Amino acid sequence: MNHYPIPRDYPEYQSPPKKVSDGRRFSIYAALDAVFIVVALGLALWLAYILLVGSFVWSVKLVIPLTFGWATLAYLALPRLHQLFTLLYVPNYFIGRTKTVDGILGDPVNLAFDGTETDVHAAMRNAGWVPADPITLRSSWNIIISSVFGTSYPRAPVSDLYLFDTKQDFAYQQEVSGNASQRHHVRFWRVPEGWVLPGGHRADWLAAGTYDRSVGFSSFTFQFTHKVDADTDLERDYIVKTLRFSDHDIGVEVIRDFSTAYHQRNGGGDKINTDGNLPIIDVRDAAHRTPMPAAKKSLRKWKDPADHGVPPVSLLVAGGLLVLNIVGAIQLGIVALTGQDWGWLLIDDGADEPWWILLLMPFMSLIEIFLLVGTLLRHKWARIGLMVLCVISAVQTLVALTGETTSFRAVLFAFLSVFVVLGVSGDKVREWVSGEHTTLRTKQQA
């Protein structure tokens, strides 16, 4: 069919119809939420500037502001900055790449699987692969110890990458040299119901396999991370060969030139390259051919605590810090009334503050706790009010920090105050308050 026949007359440009509304209404809450996202980024950059540049005086105590300055930049400011920028220019449809939690393009999608989840687990375990632990405080600490001291951790967790707006369903790995600094690993995502790959190809699972060659710093955020080997095709082919060697009935169909061959960088800034081919691995009935051996740990997928009604960790941490703040504020109020000097105050002793401010601080802290409880109960305007007070507190702390960066207590409370603002204004808390997390989970399970 000829979609572009030769016109008889010179073409005349047809004006497009008037813009059709997308149905979304202006929301004051959404606008304020966006403002606080940017404000939190500004506070983090301000703190990083104070610690790294604003008071750079050579001394032994310089290690305090430099350490907190790096932590502020790497774990607070730059991730939020990347989130804002990538939201504007990184596409949200399938382009054969995963995304990091900050929205940066991650590892390439270089494998597809046909078969049930049980079949995938049976095939991978039979081929000598080990399921990765979920990311918890304990598993994160264990992988740090393994990487630094060279101890074995075969089930070391992998960082979260996102495809179809969800993090990987599970991941497998093979440890190299007896420690977690080098390893083969592959993440798996279930393909949404009815979704097809470009070109009309179908698969039940998509996967991204890469090889961790060492531990280093991310080029984009300066966070500690694994450095990925550039030739991702070698890891892709290695995964296919281990599966075929262990189970000769596993079939493979290769889609040639599924994507354009390219040289790029992943979410950690590491160079990657691929020829663009996509193997589709048929593991159907693998569970019947090679039943999974009994394991001490269940292969049940780790669920987000929010699935069980548990608030996000960032909101719980912010609540804990606010509780400490109110205890300190009450102590200051007692000091103002009794005139006694308590050397173990949890916050600054307030010696230069007027008495009426010292008496007002406990009441302001009580309001913060009231708004925190409202946020935990998912009242969106309580969250807005909480962010307002947290921003005011953070600004006061940053102003007071100027010229006092060698004080560990001053630096610590400045860092924590900015962390609270970033946490309360973050995506996890917004989803918790608005119920977006529950809605997304329901759609995925439907």
Side-chain angles (χ1 to χ4, degrees):
M1 181 178 180
N2 188 0
H3 292 280
Y4 294 95
I6 299 176
R8 296 181 179 179
D9 301 316
Y10 191 82
E12 188 174 315
Y13 179 74
Q14 300 294 326
S15 299
K18 294 183 179 180
K19 182 178 179 181
V20 179
S21 172
D22 57 8
R24 291 180 295 182
R25 297 180 180 179
F26 174 78
S27 169
I28 296 179
Y29 174 79
L32 290 175
D33 186 39
V35 168
F36 280 109
I37 290 176
V38 178
V39 169
L41 171 61
L43 292 174
L45 292 175
W46 182 9
L47 176 59
Y49 172 80
I50 292 175
L51 297 176
L52 296 176
V53 181
S55 57
F56 197 86
V57 180
W58 286 106
S59 69
V60 176
K61 295 181 178 180
L62 186 63
V63 66
I64 296 175
L66 286 183
T67 301
F68 277 94
W70 162 76
T72 301
L73 194 65
Y75 290 92
L76 299 184
L78 289 180
R80 177 61 60 87
L81 186 64
H82 284 301
Q83 284 179 340
L84 293 177
F85 283 145
T86 55
L87 183 65
L88 297 176
Y89 69 82
V90 175
N92 198 32
Y93 49 84
F94 181 82
I95 58 173
R97 294 287 295 276
T98 61
K99 293 181 183 180
T100 68
V101 67
D102 305 320
I104 306 172
L105 291 179
D107 297 338
V109 175
N110 52 10
L111 291 165
F113 286 77
D114 278 331
T116 65
E117 181 173 350
T118 304
D119 290 329
V120 174
H121 286 305
M124 293 298 294
R125 294 195 57 171
N126 184 53
W129 293 81
V130 179
D133 286 338
I135 298 177
T136 62
L137 289 176
R138 182 175 182 179
S139 63
S140 299
W141 173 252
N142 288 339
I143 193 174
I144 292 173
I145 296 299
S146 175
S147 300
V148 173
F149 296 99
T151 58
S152 177
Y153 187 9
R155 301 177 65 101
V158 299
S159 60
D160 292 334
L161 291 180
Y162 290 78
L163 191 67
F164 308 121
D165 287 331
T166 61
K167 65 181 179 182
Q168 68 272 1
D169 290 85
F170 52 86
Y172 276 84
Q173 63 183 11
Q174 284 184 349
E175 191 177 71
V176 178
S177 301
N179 67 79
S181 61
Q182 295 181 341
R183 58 180 175 174
H184 306 275
H185 64 303
V186 54
R187 300 173 176 87
F188 290 83
W189 290 264
R190 187 188 301 275
V191 173
E193 185 71 27
W195 188 86
V196 296
L197 291 163
H201 303 283
R202 293 183 178 274
D204 297 316
W205 301 86
L206 291 180
T210 53
Y211 176 74
D212 287 339
R213 53 183 171 82
S214 63
V215 175
F217 289 98
S218 167
S219 302
F220 295 138
T221 62
F222 306 127
Q223 297 177 3
F224 283 112
T225 186
H226 278 93
K227 309 302 289 183
V228 171
D229 185 73
D231 197 338
T232 59
D233 293 343
L234 288 178
E235 182 71 1
R236 175 199 65 193
D237 297 341
Y238 173 75
I239 295 169
V240 175
K241 291 175 182 177
T242 61
L243 291 168
R244 292 269 288 163
F245 175 81
S246 304
D247 186 348
H248 297 175
D249 290 328
I250 289 179
V252 179
E253 176 188 357
V254 178
I255 305 176
R256 301 288 179 182
D257 302 318
F258 175 75
S259 66
T260 303
Y262 60 83
H263 297 262
Q264 249 293 337
R265 292 184 181 272
N266 69 353
D270 305 321
K271 291 183 178 180
I272 57 174
N273 60 72
T274 178
D275 58 16
N277 295 336
L278 181 72
I280 299 181
I281 306 170
D282 187 356
V283 297
R284 287 175 292 184
D285 295 326
H288 292 89
R289 295 191 298 269
T290 55
M292 286 188 295
K296 293 182 180 180
K297 293 188 177 181
S298 173
L299 286 175
R300 289 181 300 174
K301 191 164 42 180
W302 179 82
K303 293 185 178 181
D304 194 305
D307 293 340
H308 304 286
V310 179
V313 174
S314 55
L315 183 57
L316 295 177
V317 172
L321 295 175
L322 288 176
V323 169
L324 289 177
N325 184 65
I326 190 173
V327 172
I330 292 174
Q331 291 176 348
L332 286 179
I334 295 175
V335 169
L337 292 174
T338 63
Q340 296 181 359
D341 184 12
W342 292 11
W344 51 278
L345 288 175
L346 297 180
I347 61 177
D348 194 274
D349 59 16
D352 298 330
E353 298 289 349
W355 65 269
W356 60 272
I357 291 183
L358 297 179
L359 292 178
L360 182 62
M361 289 179 64
F363 295 101
M364 295 299 296
S365 297
L366 286 173
I367 294 176
E368 288 182 343
I369 294 299
F370 174 78
L371 294 174
L372 172 64
V373 172
T375 305
L376 290 171
L377 295 176
R378 301 187 175 187
H379 295 294
K380 62 181 183 179
W381 288 107
R383 174 173 171 257
I384 294 294
L386 180 62
M387 286 193 290
V388 170
L389 295 183
C390 288
V391 167
I392 294 174
S393 177
V395 170
Q396 291 175 337
T397 306
L398 291 176
V399 170
L401 179 64
T402 305
E404 197 188 353
T405 56
T406 54
S407 169
F408 175 78
R409 184 170 63 176
V411 171
L412 176 62
F413 275 95
F415 180 84
L416 294 179
S417 65
V418 174
F419 174 84
V420 169
V421 177
L422 283 163
V424 178
S425 64
D427 293 339
K428 291 291 185 181
V429 179
R430 186 191 67 247
E431 293 172 0
W432 165 263
V433 172
S434 62
E436 294 176 17
H437 180 278
T438 304
T439 302
L440 179 61
R441 289 288 181 179
T442 302
K443 289 182 179 179
Q444 292 174 352
Q445 296 172 359

